[in-house]
Short mmCIF file of all heavy atoms in Angstrom, two decimals:
data_model
loop_
_atom_site.label_atom_id
_atom_site.label_comp_id
_atom_site.label_asym_id
_atom_site.label_seq_id
_atom_site.Cartn_x
_atom_site.Cartn_y
_atom_site.Cartn_z
N ALA P 207 7.10 -0.18 -20.27
CA ALA P 207 7.96 -0.88 -19.31
C ALA P 207 8.55 -2.13 -19.94
O ALA P 207 9.75 -2.40 -19.81
CB ALA P 207 7.17 -1.23 -18.05
N ASP P 208 7.72 -2.87 -20.64
CA ASP P 208 8.21 -4.09 -21.30
C ASP P 208 9.23 -3.75 -22.40
O ASP P 208 10.26 -4.43 -22.53
CB ASP P 208 7.03 -4.85 -21.91
CG ASP P 208 6.09 -5.41 -20.86
OD1 ASP P 208 6.51 -5.57 -19.70
OD2 ASP P 208 4.92 -5.69 -21.21
N LYS P 209 8.95 -2.72 -23.15
CA LYS P 209 9.83 -2.35 -24.25
C LYS P 209 11.20 -1.92 -23.78
O LYS P 209 12.23 -2.26 -24.39
CB LYS P 209 9.18 -1.22 -25.06
CG LYS P 209 10.03 -0.69 -26.20
CD LYS P 209 9.31 0.45 -26.93
CE LYS P 209 10.18 1.04 -28.03
NZ LYS P 209 9.46 2.15 -28.72
N HIS P 210 11.27 -1.19 -22.66
CA HIS P 210 12.52 -0.61 -22.20
C HIS P 210 13.18 -1.37 -21.05
O HIS P 210 14.19 -0.92 -20.51
CB HIS P 210 12.29 0.85 -21.79
CG HIS P 210 11.92 1.74 -22.93
ND1 HIS P 210 12.86 2.32 -23.75
CD2 HIS P 210 10.70 2.15 -23.40
CE1 HIS P 210 12.25 3.06 -24.68
NE2 HIS P 210 10.94 2.97 -24.48
N GLY P 211 12.61 -2.50 -20.67
CA GLY P 211 13.22 -3.30 -19.62
C GLY P 211 13.18 -2.65 -18.25
O GLY P 211 14.08 -2.83 -17.43
N ILE P 212 12.10 -1.89 -18.00
CA ILE P 212 11.93 -1.26 -16.69
C ILE P 212 10.69 -1.84 -16.01
O ILE P 212 9.93 -2.59 -16.63
CB ILE P 212 11.83 0.27 -16.80
CG1 ILE P 212 10.65 0.69 -17.67
CG2 ILE P 212 13.13 0.84 -17.36
CD1 ILE P 212 10.51 2.20 -17.84
N LEU P 213 10.49 -1.51 -14.75
CA LEU P 213 9.41 -2.12 -13.98
C LEU P 213 8.22 -1.17 -13.87
O LEU P 213 8.38 0.05 -13.83
CB LEU P 213 9.90 -2.49 -12.58
CG LEU P 213 11.06 -3.49 -12.52
CD1 LEU P 213 11.45 -3.75 -11.07
CD2 LEU P 213 10.69 -4.78 -13.23
N LEU P 214 7.04 -1.74 -13.77
CA LEU P 214 5.81 -0.99 -13.52
C LEU P 214 5.40 -1.24 -12.08
O LEU P 214 5.03 -2.36 -11.70
CB LEU P 214 4.70 -1.42 -14.48
CG LEU P 214 3.34 -0.75 -14.27
CD1 LEU P 214 3.44 0.76 -14.41
CD2 LEU P 214 2.30 -1.32 -15.23
N ILE P 215 5.47 -0.17 -11.26
CA ILE P 215 5.05 -0.23 -9.86
C ILE P 215 3.71 0.46 -9.74
O ILE P 215 3.55 1.60 -10.18
CB ILE P 215 6.06 0.48 -8.93
CG1 ILE P 215 7.47 -0.05 -9.11
CG2 ILE P 215 5.61 0.36 -7.48
CD1 ILE P 215 8.52 0.79 -8.38
N LEU P 216 2.75 -0.19 -9.13
CA LEU P 216 1.46 0.42 -8.87
C LEU P 216 1.30 0.70 -7.38
O LEU P 216 1.58 -0.16 -6.55
CB LEU P 216 0.32 -0.48 -9.34
CG LEU P 216 0.28 -0.81 -10.83
CD1 LEU P 216 -0.98 -1.59 -11.16
CD2 LEU P 216 0.39 0.44 -11.68
N ASP P 217 0.86 1.92 -7.07
CA ASP P 217 0.50 2.28 -5.71
C ASP P 217 -1.01 2.11 -5.60
O ASP P 217 -1.78 2.96 -6.04
CB ASP P 217 0.92 3.72 -5.44
CG ASP P 217 0.55 4.19 -4.03
OD1 ASP P 217 -0.29 3.54 -3.38
OD2 ASP P 217 1.08 5.24 -3.60
N GLU P 218 -1.43 0.98 -5.02
CA GLU P 218 -2.85 0.71 -4.80
C GLU P 218 -3.19 0.76 -3.32
O GLU P 218 -4.06 0.04 -2.83
CB GLU P 218 -3.24 -0.63 -5.42
CG GLU P 218 -3.14 -0.65 -6.94
CD GLU P 218 -4.31 -1.36 -7.61
OE1 GLU P 218 -5.41 -1.35 -7.01
OE2 GLU P 218 -4.11 -1.90 -8.70
N VAL P 219 -2.49 1.62 -2.60
CA VAL P 219 -2.73 1.75 -1.17
C VAL P 219 -4.16 2.18 -0.89
O VAL P 219 -4.83 1.65 -0.01
CB VAL P 219 -1.72 2.73 -0.54
CG1 VAL P 219 -2.12 3.10 0.88
CG2 VAL P 219 -0.32 2.12 -0.55
N GLN P 220 -4.66 3.15 -1.68
CA GLN P 220 -6.02 3.64 -1.46
C GLN P 220 -7.05 2.96 -2.36
O GLN P 220 -8.17 2.69 -1.92
CB GLN P 220 -6.09 5.15 -1.67
CG GLN P 220 -7.43 5.76 -1.27
CD GLN P 220 -7.40 7.27 -1.14
OE1 GLN P 220 -8.41 7.94 -1.36
NE2 GLN P 220 -6.26 7.82 -0.79
N CYS P 221 -6.70 2.65 -3.58
CA CYS P 221 -7.69 2.12 -4.52
C CYS P 221 -7.76 0.60 -4.54
O CYS P 221 -8.60 0.04 -5.23
CB CYS P 221 -7.42 2.65 -5.93
SG CYS P 221 -5.84 2.13 -6.67
N GLY P 222 -6.91 -0.07 -3.76
CA GLY P 222 -6.89 -1.52 -3.77
C GLY P 222 -7.82 -2.15 -2.75
O GLY P 222 -8.55 -1.48 -2.02
N VAL P 223 -7.78 -3.47 -2.67
CA VAL P 223 -8.55 -4.30 -1.73
C VAL P 223 -10.06 -4.05 -1.87
O VAL P 223 -10.73 -3.62 -0.94
CB VAL P 223 -8.08 -4.10 -0.27
CG1 VAL P 223 -8.64 -5.21 0.62
CG2 VAL P 223 -6.57 -4.09 -0.16
N ALA P 224 -10.56 -4.28 -3.07
CA ALA P 224 -11.99 -4.28 -3.39
C ALA P 224 -12.62 -2.90 -3.45
O ALA P 224 -13.81 -2.78 -3.78
CB ALA P 224 -12.78 -5.16 -2.40
N ARG P 225 -11.89 -1.85 -3.17
CA ARG P 225 -12.46 -0.50 -3.11
C ARG P 225 -13.14 -0.10 -4.43
O ARG P 225 -14.17 0.57 -4.42
CB ARG P 225 -11.35 0.49 -2.73
CG ARG P 225 -11.70 1.96 -2.75
CD ARG P 225 -12.81 2.38 -1.85
NE ARG P 225 -12.64 2.09 -0.45
CZ ARG P 225 -13.56 2.36 0.49
NH1 ARG P 225 -14.72 2.89 0.13
NH2 ARG P 225 -13.36 2.05 1.75
N THR P 226 -12.56 -0.49 -5.55
CA THR P 226 -13.11 -0.09 -6.85
C THR P 226 -14.08 -1.11 -7.44
O THR P 226 -14.59 -0.92 -8.54
CB THR P 226 -11.98 0.14 -7.88
OG1 THR P 226 -11.30 -1.11 -8.11
CG2 THR P 226 -11.00 1.20 -7.40
N GLY P 227 -14.31 -2.21 -6.74
CA GLY P 227 -15.16 -3.28 -7.26
C GLY P 227 -14.38 -4.40 -7.91
O GLY P 227 -14.94 -5.42 -8.29
#
Side-chain angles (χ1 to χ4, degrees):
D208 293 339
K209 177 181 177 180
H210 293 276
I212 60 181
L213 300 179
L214 177 59
I215 306 170
L216 299 186
D217 179 344
E218 294 222 28
V219 168
Q220 188 165 151
C221 64
V223 194
R225 174 59 58 182
T226 64

